[in-house]
Amino acid sequence: MKQIFQNDWQELLAPQFTQDYYQELRRFLIHEYRSQTIHPEMGELFNALHYTACKDVKAVILGQDPYHGFRQAHGLSFSVLPPTAPPPSLVNIYKELHNDLGLAVPTHGYLKSWCDEGVLLLNAVLSVRHAAANSHRNKGWEQFTDAVIRCVSQKPEPVVFMLWGRNAQEKRKLIAPHHLVITAPHPSPLSAHRGFFGSRPFTRCNDFLVSKNIIPINWTLALHVDIR
């Protein structure tokens, strides 16, 4: 079997790669990438898993599907590549981050440093056609990312799951009771004022980790980044 991951995800997810649904998903993606403009680039589809091994996961932030504009999606939920400005949902996440922890708001939307802290920035669907949100729904990604969530849920160490919005909250049934699940409306401008603002997810996450004798997450982001 081709080596997809250089960390523990390779063994944990190996059973998925031989299943019919994954083979159908793979064929679909090959055709889509050849015939359409797809985000993110193929080599970035699994960045969330490349950057954060299962053994290192302390928190999961679950998104829906990737941003569908140019130079936005790069395989991490809510994150965008510089010099792209933070999209509206991420702007609201930054507002809550500032109000919750008093952290300065970055000029960029690049969240990889959170991955380095043990935050799995996972989307339920890992690809999308350009300018067509949800265009890769129900093609098999959901089954694959459910398997990812189950792997994290099976960790004996407590993990924090941040489920923002109805779609993310549907995954709650996959999560074992020894983990902390933080739910809130989606940070989109359409819903953030209905309870996302003021939910203090970052403080609640770290308080829980500390209570379990786990080193808390450093949510601080560099004010500026330059990726070329």
Side-chain angles (χ1 to χ4, degrees):
M1 182 186 301
K2 179 182 177 183
Q3 185 84 9
I4 297 176
F5 304 109
Q6 300 299 320
N7 57 28
D8 56 1
W9 288 117
Q10 182 67 31
E11 181 177 356
L12 290 168
L13 296 175
Q16 305 303 312
F17 303 141
T18 58
Q19 292 190 31
D20 289 344
Y21 88 87
Y22 189 87
Q23 295 303 313
E24 291 178 15
L25 171 63
R26 186 172 180 273
R27 288 189 288 270
F28 167 75
L29 290 172
I30 290 170
H31 179 266
E32 284 286 283
Y33 274 96
R34 287 174 176 170
S35 61
Q36 305 287 334
T37 299
I38 305 299
H39 305 295
E41 294 182 6
M42 186 178 287
E44 297 179 324
L45 279 172
F46 296 114
N47 271 354
L49 302 173
H50 289 312
Y51 292 159
T52 312
C54 187
K55 66 180 179 59
D56 296 328
V57 174
K58 296 179 181 180
V60 179
I61 297 180
L62 186 64
Q64 184 169 311
D65 68 341
Y67 298 118
H68 49 78
F70 288 115
R71 198 164 173 79
Q72 289 186 311
H74 64 109
L76 306 180
S77 63
F78 295 105
S79 181
V80 292
L81 285 171
T84 305
S89 291
L90 183 53
V91 168
N92 286 338
I93 292 171
Y94 282 172
K95 287 180 180 177
E96 183 61 21
L97 182 68
H98 174 72
N99 292 334
D100 186 6
L101 298 179
L103 298 179
V105 174
T107 59
H108 61 88
Y110 189 59
L111 303 179
K112 182 182 178 295
S113 64
W114 285 358
C115 302
D116 301 335
E117 287 287 318
V119 181
L120 182 63
L121 295 172
L122 182 70
N123 279 314
V125 173
L126 301 187
S127 59
V128 68
R129 280 189 185 184
H130 179 70
N134 292 320
S135 49
H136 284 185
R137 282 185 68 184
N138 300 321
K139 301 298 183 180
W141 277 132
E142 293 89 346
Q143 191 167 340
F144 180 79
T145 56
D146 279 3
V148 172
I149 294 170
R150 287 191 182 96
C151 287
V152 177
S153 179
Q154 289 166 6
K155 284 166 57 85
E157 305 88 358
V159 172
V160 179
F161 289 81
M162 298 186 188
L163 306 182
W164 297 332
R166 185 181 307 167
N167 288 337
Q169 288 164 21
E170 290 175 355
K171 306 298 186 182
R172 186 167 193 161
K173 62 183 180 293
L174 305 175
I175 301 169
H178 66 286
H179 303 299
L180 175 65
V181 178
I182 297 175
T183 61
H186 194 276
S188 159
L190 297 175
S191 55
H193 291 279
R194 297 204 295 265
F196 176 76
F197 291 136
S199 61
R200 304 193 71 197
F202 308 103
T203 290
R204 291 163 65 191
C205 172
N206 278 357
D207 285 350
F208 175 78
L209 294 176
V210 170
S211 76
K212 302 298 181 180
N213 297 313
I214 298 171
I215 298 172
I217 293 164
N218 180 4
W219 295 102
T220 305
L221 294 164
L223 293 182
H224 310 282
V225 296
D226 185 15
I227 299 174
R228 301 188 188 278

